[in-house]
Amino acid sequence: MVFQSDPVEHESGDNEPSREMIIKTAKAGDAVVKVVNRCEETKESKVLDLSSCSLIKVPEAVYFILRNEEILRCNLSNNLISKITPQFGGSCFVNLTTLNVSTNRLSTLPRELVGCKQLTSVDISTNNFVEIPSVLFEIETITDINAKGNFIAEVNEDDIETHDSLEVVNLENNPITPSCRDRLQTISRVRIILSERKLEEWEDLSI
């Protein structure tokens, strides 16, 4: 399924559609209509907003409907998406400038994103990433990466320092190791946002 809906219990021996099943089908139909309508709006606005659509993946129909369009901004936030397919790097996304995939279940991004030659801002916050996706450092136009609220413990500071366009990297609410934190704090050209370090028990004199 492309959409997430509430589970439905069936009464044994009853072949008639239950009220719950009818409601579930209606909700799924509404979700499809919602996505199609937003795709139609994209043709005018050049902004693809599929946020809060209960998606578990980007429907293939979206790529088909928008195959000849130009998308400048894309918002897939607040869904249940665990994977973005390589189709995302299609021709309609070539001039993409902003990508928001926050609050999903992602742990990787497709390498095809390197084809987005105008991409400047990426929000991957509140997902399941254990590292900043390397593909983001291969996009020369990237200026800011929001990786807040993931499971990132280590970051290669060379990837940040050697990127010519990068300006801001938000790593708040990640389990950054003390040694990585120390290395990141030596970077001056790029603004690195970190949560305040919690003292270890042996460091906390108040205990």
Side-chain angles (χ1 to χ4, degrees):
M1 289 182 63
V2 175
F3 302 93
Q4 176 74 21
S5 58
D6 296 331
V8 177
E9 294 183 0
H10 300 274
E11 295 182 6
S12 58
D14 187 359
N15 292 326
E16 292 297 320
S18 65
R19 180 174 180 275
E20 290 81 4
M21 178 60 76
I22 293 172
I23 292 173
K24 177 183 178 183
T25 302
K27 285 183 177 179
D30 289 343
V32 171
V33 171
K34 184 178 183 180
V35 169
V36 171
N37 286 341
R38 291 195 182 185
C39 286
E40 291 300 321
E41 292 170 0
T42 300
K43 294 180 180 180
E44 296 294 328
S45 66
K46 300 187 185 300
V47 177
L48 176 59
D49 183 0
L50 296 181
S51 61
S52 304
C53 285
S54 300
L55 296 173
I56 59 175
K57 69 176 183 178
V58 179
E60 291 189 13
V62 170
Y63 301 115
F64 180 79
I65 294 171
L66 300 175
R67 65 192 184 283
N68 296 320
E69 304 299 325
E70 179 186 48
I71 299 172
L72 300 182
R73 299 198 300 275
C74 179
N75 185 353
L76 300 176
S77 65
N78 293 299
N79 282 293
L80 302 166
I81 300 171
S82 59
K83 182 179 181 181
I84 296 177
T85 66
Q87 288 173 288
F88 194 86
S91 58
C92 61
F93 295 101
V94 168
N95 293 318
L96 190 70
T97 61
T98 303
L99 174 62
N100 184 351
V101 293
S102 63
T103 317
N104 277 286
R105 299 175 177 177
L106 293 166
S107 58
T108 62
L109 292 178
R111 287 203 53 76
E112 284 71 15
L113 275 179
V114 295
C116 302
K117 302 295 186 181
Q118 307 301 319
L119 191 58
T120 60
S121 177
V122 177
D123 188 342
I124 60 171
S125 62
T126 318
N127 274 285
N128 296 326
F129 290 95
V130 297
E131 63 181 2
I132 298 177
S134 60
V135 64
L136 297 183
F137 295 116
E138 297 178 37
I139 302 173
E140 296 180 356
T141 50
I142 286 281
T143 60
D144 62 274
I145 299 172
N146 184 357
K148 180 179 179 179
N150 280 281
F151 300 92
I152 300 170
E154 288 286 339
V155 179
N156 187 336
E157 67 274 17
D158 290 339
D159 288 337
I160 295 176
E161 285 192 293
T162 58
H163 195 288
D164 292 334
S165 301
L166 196 58
E167 297 175 1
V168 180
V169 178
N170 189 335
L171 290 167
E172 290 179 297
N173 300 331
N174 278 284
I176 301 294
T177 64
S179 60
C180 181
R181 173 184 290 270
D182 290 343
R183 296 194 305 271
L184 291 174
Q185 289 177 333
T186 65
I187 298 174
S188 58
R189 189 184 63 79
V190 179
R191 183 186 176 206
I192 309 294
I193 304 174
L194 297 167
S195 298
E196 184 177 351
R197 186 172 77 88
K198 294 181 179 179
L199 293 176
E200 300 291 341
E201 287 190 10
W202 62 270
E203 295 178 296
D204 190 349
L205 299 178
S206 66
I207 297 178

